[in-house]
Amino acid sequence: MAAESNRLERIQRFWNEQSDWNAHVAIYDSPDVRDPRKREEAFEAAGELDARRLAGFLHPSSRVVDLGCGIGRVIRPLAGLCREIIGVDISTTMLDKARSYLDGLPQVRLVHTDGASLPSIEDASVDFVYSLLCLIHVDRRSAYRYLREIERVLRPDGLAFLEFQNILSAEGLAKFQSVVEGDYPLELYTLEELRALLGSVGLEILTCHETAEYLHLTVVRGRRDAWMGAVSEGISVEGLEATGLFAGSDVAGDGALRARLASRLPRPVTLTLSTGWVQADGTARFQGRGLLPLDRGQERQLGLHWDARGRRLAIELDGEPCSGLETTVADVGVPGPSLLQVGLLPPGFAWNQASQESFPQLFYSRELPSVG
Ligand SMILES: C[S@@+](CC[C@H](N)C(=O)[O-])C[C@H]1O[C@@H](n2cnc3c(N)ncnc32)[C@H](O)[C@@H]1O
């Protein structure tokens, strides 16, 4: 026990020193973050990019935990999207800096951990846990204790988004080889190991996204099949009406798509609307994305409008511009057939074949004839 607490104290000292040396670089190392003239802006932009990836997991009523929050790089852009966000970290100096970086955000609470537990967070009280660039630095035993803690604090069917380093990728292996001589904390896994470790504590992988060196896992507390079944039966799209471009009838003109979204899920959920008008060469004439929060038992009216003359795509929810809205419109089109797609993605799901097969009622597409 004494050896264990010495080890965790050593880890805390390491991260305190990292934070004193240069918290921004210790947290998110990139050429721009190393450059003092670009540091603040690049650090903030990286936080916003990660927040964009996580926003679809949050609902305005959500209670969220950021495990290994650092100074709150990702908490800052996410705080306004949820009811409460709890940042947990082993380093007292990181937490001190987080207090100032997150100053004025009433949703934020910061908690110090011994390095393997989620103290003062009650059982089954959290809707979503995420951990970026943290579990890769945590030794396996402590990481396993965190997985048990995540299972403890999540509500049944609650979700977590966890980032691990992949030992089977060339980049992951190279990173491992670069640290074997020293004591820089780095832990790597295979997907199968993670599946087994998660399964043994009552968590199941819902989706896995592999990048060059990372494994990004969305996990559910409980059974994957039950979660998938509840979402595919509990969310419906009713009264769909499409005109003009969205019906594939007037490709050069305006168009609209209207539908009622209804949720019979036992808890709130946010869907991410993703739409694109994609040409045969793979380039998009427009792309759009918006967040659609749905309460339990709620019905909401979704509207998409394409204004061909003004070259503008609008996404509305109950007649108001949608939050999390990002649209891009390309100026030129190449002649040839194209595809108009609208998809409603449940948390953690990307637009791919597997998502369309799992939730066919949430996807709509039209092949469009040649446009000049
Ligand atoms: C590379 S930083 C990432 C910070 C933040 N997640 C982000 O992406 O901006 C790693 C963070 O994990 C924290 N950390 C390392 N080991 C930890 C542990 N066992 N428990 C909790 N936090 C830990 C460090 O103090 C540090 O703040």
Side-chain angles (χ1 to χ4, degrees):
M1 210 59 193
E4 168 72 351
S5 84
N6 286 346
R7 195 174 56 77
L8 291 172
E9 271 170 30
R10 228 181 25 253
I11 293 166
Q12 166 160 195
R13 211 165 33 247
F14 172 84
W15 285 104
N16 281 346
E17 283 163 11
Q18 290 283 303
S19 169
D20 286 337
W21 163 68
N22 189 329
H24 290 75
V25 176
I27 287 170
Y28 194 91
D29 195 359
S30 76
D32 282 354
V33 173
R34 281 189 175 252
D35 180 344
R37 286 162 306 161
K38 299 185 183 162
R39 175 163 305 147
E40 301 288 334
E41 204 178 315
F43 187 80
E44 203 176 307
E48 273 163 16
L49 205 65
D50 281 325
R52 185 178 180 279
R53 193 156 35 127
L54 297 176
F57 288 95
L58 273 53
H59 182 274
S61 65
S62 300
R63 189 158 194 248
V64 178
V65 169
D66 179 334
L67 170 56
C69 64
I71 71 164
R73 183 179 67 91
V74 185
I75 292 182
R76 190 152 91 173
L78 283 182
L81 298 178
C82 58
R83 178 170 60 89
E84 186 181 12
I85 185 159
I86 306 168
V88 178
D89 206 284
I90 195 172
S91 160
T92 46
T93 48
M94 287 285 187
L95 289 172
D96 285 344
K97 290 183 181 177
R99 256 168 229 113
S100 105
Y101 192 66
L102 303 172
D103 187 32
L105 295 173
Q107 306 86 348
V108 177
R109 174 150 77 92
L110 297 170
V111 171
H112 181 236
T113 169
D114 59 0
S117 65
L118 299 174
S120 76
I121 304 179
E122 311 83 70
D123 297 0
S125 66
V126 170
D127 301 287
F128 177 55
V129 177
Y130 68 90
S131 184
L132 299 183
L133 299 172
C134 171
L135 290 168
I136 64 170
H137 297 300
V138 176
D139 68 279
R140 266 173 197 251
R141 293 172 192 203
S142 303
Y144 187 70
R145 288 169 62 187
Y146 270 136
L147 298 185
R148 286 201 308 226
E149 281 287 88
I150 291 170
E151 194 276 339
R152 178 184 69 75
V153 302
L154 278 178
R155 294 183 204 286
D157 283 343
L159 299 180
F161 182 91
L162 307 175
E163 180 170 67
F164 294 95
Q165 200 134 27
N166 185 1
I167 185 82
L168 293 184
S169 69
E171 288 80 356
L173 186 60
K175 269 264 185 76
F176 176 64
Q177 287 166 328
S178 74
V179 300
V180 285
E181 311 290 350
D183 55 7
Y184 184 75
L186 196 68
E187 201 63 59
L188 296 98
Y189 297 84
T190 68
L191 178 58
E192 284 318 301
E193 284 175 324
L194 289 166
R195 200 187 301 286
L197 293 170
L198 288 159
S200 72
V201 301
L203 298 169
E204 264 196 60
I205 298 175
L206 208 48
T207 67
C208 169
H209 179 243
E210 287 191 43
T211 67
E213 65 185 280
Y214 295 109
L215 294 166
H216 290 145
L217 306 184
T218 299
V219 310
V220 59
R221 181 187 166 201
R223 301 303 312 267
R224 178 180 197 272
D225 287 354
W227 191 93
M228 298 285 288
V231 169
S232 66
E233 281 167 26
I235 300 176
S236 56
V237 178
E238 288 151 19
L240 188 120
E241 286 169 28
T243 61
L245 176 73
F246 283 91
S249 57
D250 179 9
V251 175
D254 296 349
L257 182 140
R258 289 183 199 83
R260 263 190 334 276
L261 300 182
S263 170
R264 290 182 302 280
L265 288 176
R267 65 183 50 82
V269 68
T270 293
L271 302 177
T272 300
L273 178 133
S274 178
T275 183
W277 177 9
V278 186
Q279 303 171 133
D281 69 349
T283 55
R285 294 193 114 190
F286 67 56
Q287 281 179 327
R289 178 182 179 272
L291 298 176
L292 315 178
L294 280 173
D295 281 331
R296 192 160 75 152
Q298 192 183 23
E299 258 194 28
R300 305 200 76 175
Q301 189 68 39
L302 171 68
L304 272 84
H305 306 271
W306 168 242
D307 165 6
R309 175 122 39 108
R311 302 196 59 69
R312 220 177 68 81
L313 174 72
I315 306 175
E316 289 173 355
L317 202 53
D318 299 332
E320 300 285 331
C322 198
S323 73
L325 179 66
E326 291 162 27
T327 57
T328 53
V329 178
D331 279 339
V332 287
V334 292
S338 52
L339 192 63
L340 189 288
Q341 301 176 306
V342 184
L344 302 171
L345 306 172
F349 284 80
W351 193 327
N352 55 32
Q353 190 71 25
S355 305
Q356 291 184 57
E357 283 167 10
S358 302
F359 311 109
Q361 85 281 15
L362 301 181
F363 289 83
Y364 172 87
S365 72
R366 278 285 170 279
E367 283 179 24
L368 306 179
S370 186
V371 275

